[in-house]
Amino acid sequence: MPRLSEVTAALDALWPPERAESWDAVGTVCGDPDAEVTRVLFAVDPVQEIADEAVALGADLIVTHHPLYLRGTTTVAAGHFKGRVVHGLIKHDIALHVAHTNADTADPGVSDALAGALDLRVTGPLVPENNLGRICELDRPETLAEFAARAAARLPATAQGIRVAGDPGMTVRRVAVSGGSGDSLFDAVRAAGVDVFLTADLRHHPVSEATQHSPLGLVDAAHWATEWPWCEQAAAQLDEISDRHGWDLRVHVSKTVTDPWSFHHTSPGAPN
Ligand SMILES: [Zn+2]
């Protein structure tokens, strides 16, 4: 059985912490480096539901994409919801490790997993300077409506579903994808000359300006849904490392939907 320090060293080799953005908070949040690890749970968000799931599963380590604490903190008192997560984890000897922007820019990274889930062929990075996002090609052209249906069918189900901007009948051949919030990447998307950009958290003004600029199709999925495929990719990577080392490790992926939106209601008389 590996120790936590051995497992986190293997994870750091997959997603080198020095490749994280300077504002990010990646690495081990809590856990004893000498503790033995038998079960690992991968999830997007370090929220109470995931901590509870790890306890029920008997996991010794949770690996999440999002940090628990992004800014400096002076308390982990259980009166605060984040402190409650920390208390619960320590009480049950569960470690928490984060791979965030270092997983975004890894190879394979978060956007490779997203492209894989959508069954798209990756041809290169969207932002080569920091290996962010991916440019992809479809094996056969399809309409924007068909591409949106593909995203809805292949990404995990959320209350939001898929929002689309653009002509449903437009032809889609080349696509840019970026897991998580992607509306800072419009310049790179325009430079790449793709037909469609699939990402999350798109806001009114960037979308309005992008669609006025050129006939770009935009596909907005739930933030959690665009990053969840990374959990499966990461779990498979750790499984492979575990086999190579002869570790007795069980690796799980949480299917708990931690996207914060609960439901949506289509407006009566809405277009399309
Ligand atoms: Zn994210």
Side-chain angles (χ1 to χ4, degrees):
M1 262 180 283
R3 300 196 179 279
L4 176 62
S5 57
E6 295 174 276
V7 178
T8 55
L11 300 179
D12 286 348
L14 290 175
W15 315 298
E18 60 272 18
R19 295 191 59 176
E21 298 283 350
S22 56
W23 49 263
D24 206 358
V26 303
T28 306
V29 177
C30 66
D32 178 351
D34 293 327
E36 289 184 334
V37 178
T38 57
R39 265 179 212 277
V40 183
L41 177 65
F42 280 86
V44 174
D45 296 299
V47 292
Q48 189 65 50
E49 292 90 328
I50 298 301
D52 293 344
E53 186 177 344
V55 172
L57 190 66
D60 317 286
L61 168 62
I62 304 173
V63 181
T64 63
H65 181 50
H66 290 147
L68 179 64
Y69 291 102
L70 193 54
R71 296 181 184 86
T73 186
T74 54
T75 173
V76 292
H80 187 272
F81 71 93
K82 293 191 181 189
R84 198 157 60 242
V85 169
V86 172
H87 275 250
L89 294 180
I90 292 173
K91 202 179 289 177
H92 292 93
D93 285 327
I94 301 170
L96 173 62
H97 188 86
V98 172
H100 190 213
T101 50
N102 48 330
D104 287 332
T105 54
D107 219 342
V110 172
S111 294
D112 291 295
L114 174 57
L118 294 164
D119 209 10
L120 302 174
R121 188 156 33 85
V122 173
T123 60
L126 173 60
V127 186
E129 296 74 41
N130 55 7
N131 202 31
L132 205 59
R134 293 292 181 265
I135 296 171
C136 310
E137 280 176 5
L138 271 66
D139 287 333
R140 275 177 291 116
E142 56 191 39
T143 65
L144 180 57
E146 288 168 335
F147 183 75
R150 172 198 289 250
R154 291 172 184 257
L155 294 180
T158 58
Q160 175 187 314
I162 305 292
R163 293 191 302 175
V164 187
D167 175 0
M170 72 174 275
T171 303
V172 182
R173 291 186 181 85
R174 293 179 73 237
V175 178
V177 301
S178 185
S181 307
D183 65 11
S184 64
L185 301 175
F186 275 115
D187 287 346
V189 169
R190 265 195 289 273
V194 293
D195 305 307
V196 165
F197 180 34
L198 183 148
T199 186
D201 296 340
L202 290 178
R203 293 169 300 156
H204 174 90
H205 291 296
V207 169
S208 177
E209 288 178 15
T211 52
Q212 291 290 315
H213 188 277
S214 58
L216 176 68
L218 295 169
V219 179
D220 181 293
H223 188 128
W224 172 84
T226 63
E227 295 183 330
W228 184 83
W230 172 78
C231 295
E232 287 208 315
Q233 177 179 278
Q237 288 177 290
L238 182 58
D239 245 341
E240 197 266 324
I241 290 168
S242 174
D243 284 350
R244 206 168 350 117
H245 286 82
W247 291 344
D248 186 15
L249 202 62
R250 304 275 184 279
V251 181
H252 304 261
V253 175
S254 173
K255 293 199 163 51
T256 304
V257 180
T258 55
D259 195 71
W261 299 104
S262 306
F263 64 93
H264 89 263
H265 203 299
T266 305
S267 309
N272 299 312

